[in-house]
Amino acid sequence: MNSSRQGVGRYVPRAHPLSWWMLLVTTGAILIISIDRAILPTVLPAILKDFNLSPTSGGFLISLSFVGTAVGAIALGALGDGLGRGPRRAWTWGFAVLVAVVAAVATAFTRTLGFFAFWRVIMGMGTGGMEPVNVAMVGEWWQKEDRGFAVGTHHTGFPFGQFLGPVLIGAVLAAATWREAFLFIPLIAIPIVVIQALIARKGNLKKINDWIRERRMTPSLEESEVRAQRFESPVGKITEAFSHRNVMLSVAMIFLFLWAETGVVSFLTLQLTRDVGLSLASAAVVSGASGITGWIGQIVWGTVSDHAGRKFSLNILAVGWAVTVLAMIFISSGTLAWIILLGWGLFRNAPFPVAYALVLDSVPNSASSGMGLMIGIALGISGFVVAPVAGYFVAHFGFTWDYVMLAGACLLALIPIAMMKETVSAPDESVPVASQQA
């Protein structure tokens, strides 16, 4: 179907009120994921002191969370497709939240390094499974023509969480210890689960799709597809997703972006406390500065990708990433840290929603599996490998060479981007090629 929007008006998204409500609630879900993932890196200096660990050992500890992330993203992402699209995804997401909350609370009470490591893996499984299911959900409750905007806006939960999370954690640290951060903060997810399940109903999907068709746009998921759903093999869904060229290339690209991101966030508070001289509570707040501007890049580049193409946005973001990571070499005061990290925020999170929109375009029937592969392989493996590597660079060569290495990874992302097949029509055409297969 063709959208009736023309000219500048086509850049202004319109949607049914229920689509906006689903977008708001799923953004809150991403906010929770972001906050949960920020806890360990933010309180890392205190954990290193408690367990008498070196930065390199701390890097290995962080990497265990990503082992769980890899397993959870792939397994629960495929389960989300296997159980069914649309309303049924809300239940898969709720299960992932339960895993993460139980693991976080258990972490707060553990007293040995071995059990701490074990619960890091389990919490990683929960947060790893939460993301692909939730991204697929928001994409199915919006029209295809504004998918990049919807996923980009949805993913503003990450930068907001990257700012709000350290602020909340810093407040906890000012009054208690790192254990209380794990005990109380993840519980925020519970009301989000309830509200999301109430909105994600078949009748609401029909209302949204009727509205979309009346305006000559294209629903992402038809009610007939939901009614015809049967349980499908998660393994088959994974195979279907991974056989698509865009999915494989997206995994490689996101691996490189996440290599850089994990390398930065794993030791940012250490840089701010050890080299800049900030207190841990102050460093926790400053480390979340990118979240203040992160939402801008996600909405802007997600929307631009709907009209100028996914590859166009991703190329610009790769270069912006490299430049702002290199700028972190010059952090020597709290003021400079704020300025540079605010600049990084314009690029930090934006590649991920554009890549997710690309996967939704390419494999709509296996979107959760495709994104689970991206998160599981890219986030899991990069997180497991880069934290020890970055810890080694910091310990032996300093932060300058560490940031040079991380910026190089961003530029390497230009290679898989060049090999991707565009899924959005040329700028002078009106209809995204939303399900084009390469």
Side-chain angles (χ1 to χ4, degrees):
M1 296 183 183
N2 291 333
S3 170
S4 60
R5 290 178 289 172
Q6 302 293 330
V8 177
R10 68 194 180 101
Y11 289 92
V12 181
R14 294 181 296 165
H16 189 277
L18 285 170
S19 293
W20 285 108
W21 277 111
M22 179 60 80
L23 180 58
L24 176 64
V25 174
T26 52
T27 301
I30 290 295
L31 175 74
I32 299 305
I33 299 171
S34 178
I35 292 174
D36 285 355
R37 288 179 180 169
I39 297 175
L40 182 56
T42 304
V43 303
L44 182 62
I47 293 173
L48 296 181
K49 183 178 179 180
D50 257 21
F51 290 104
N52 194 27
L53 300 174
S54 67
T56 303
S57 298
F60 278 108
L61 191 61
I62 290 174
S63 70
L64 291 175
S65 296
F66 292 100
V67 173
T69 296
V71 175
I74 295 173
L76 294 178
L79 183 64
D81 284 327
L83 289 177
R85 301 165 63 191
R88 298 184 186 181
R89 290 198 195 275
W91 301 105
T92 306
W93 190 76
F95 174 73
V97 170
L98 178 64
V99 173
V101 170
V102 169
V105 173
T107 298
F109 291 101
T110 189
R111 297 293 170 180
T112 67
L113 185 59
F115 275 112
F116 184 92
F118 170 78
W119 288 114
R120 290 302 78 231
V121 175
I122 302 303
M123 187 170 179
M125 290 176 64
T127 58
M130 289 160 67
E131 186 174 351
V133 176
N134 212 263
V135 178
M137 182 180 296
V138 73
E140 291 170 348
W141 292 78
W142 272 71
Q143 58 270 15
K144 292 179 181 179
E145 286 80 359
D146 292 307
R147 179 175 285 159
F149 164 81
V151 178
T153 303
H154 163 266
H155 249 56
T156 59
F158 268 118
F160 287 135
Q162 286 154 3
F163 177 73
L164 180 60
V167 171
L168 291 174
I169 297 164
V172 172
L173 292 173
T177 71
W178 61 266
R179 295 182 184 277
E180 282 72 23
F182 282 104
L183 181 60
F184 296 114
I185 291 176
L187 297 177
I188 303 171
I190 294 176
I192 298 293
V193 172
V194 175
I195 298 171
Q196 190 165 257
L198 291 174
I199 297 177
R201 297 187 176 189
K202 292 180 183 178
N204 288 339
L205 181 62
K206 183 180 187 305
K207 292 177 184 178
I208 290 172
N209 285 346
D210 289 344
W211 186 95
I212 291 173
R213 282 187 287 266
E214 287 173 3
R215 285 152 182 81
R216 299 169 56 202
M217 293 186 288
T218 316
S220 289
L221 178 65
E222 295 285 0
E223 309 93 276
S224 58
E225 296 178 80
V226 175
R227 288 194 299 270
Q229 286 181 142
R230 299 291 186 272
F231 178 78
E232 298 183 56
S233 168
V235 175
K237 289 297 183 181
I238 292 173
T239 302
E240 179 184 344
F242 202 63
S243 64
H244 196 287
R245 184 176 76 184
N246 277 357
V247 174
M248 291 187 290
L249 292 170
S250 294
V251 168
M253 176 193 68
I254 293 299
F255 171 84
L256 293 165
F257 280 123
L258 287 172
W259 176 284
E261 181 177 45
T262 304
V264 171
V265 301
S266 294
F267 298 100
L268 183 57
T269 54
L270 183 64
Q271 180 187 16
L272 294 173
T273 53
R274 190 188 72 181
D275 294 3
V276 180
L278 301 181
S279 68
L280 179 57
S282 297
V285 174
V286 176
S287 68
S290 64
I292 297 176
T293 51
W295 64 274
I296 300 173
Q298 289 186 302
I299 295 176
V300 168
W301 294 113
T303 304
V304 168
S305 77
D306 283 331
H307 304 279
R310 312 295 186 209
K311 294 176 65 173
F312 174 82
S313 293
L314 290 170
N315 279 319
I316 294 177
L317 291 167
V319 175
W321 249 93
V323 171
T324 50
V325 168
L326 285 174
M328 295 178 193
I329 294 171
F330 304 102
I331 293 178
S332 58
S333 67
T335 300
L336 271 177
W338 274 103
I339 294 171
I340 292 171
L341 293 175
L342 287 171
W344 182 42
L346 295 173
F347 304 97
R348 176 181 177 179
N349 298 283
F352 309 116
V354 176
Y356 291 149
L358 180 75
V359 171
L360 280 162
D361 294 342
S362 304
V363 286
N365 293 323
S366 302
S368 183
S369 300
M371 289 182 285
L373 286 167
M374 285 174 53
I375 297 165
I377 297 175
L379 180 58
I381 296 178
S382 66
F384 181 76
V385 175
V386 73
V389 171
Y392 182 85
F393 266 74
V394 170
H396 292 83
F397 306 112
F399 279 100
T400 294
W401 285 107
D402 179 50
Y403 286 133
V404 169
M405 178 268 293
L406 298 176
C410 300
L411 294 177
L412 283 175
L414 292 169
I415 297 174
I417 293 171
M419 299 170 64
M420 291 174 178
K421 183 162 185 173
E422 183 59 73
T423 60
V424 174
S425 59
D428 59 342
E429 299 176 36
S430 61
V431 184
V433 186
S435 59
Q436 183 176 1
Q437 301 291 315

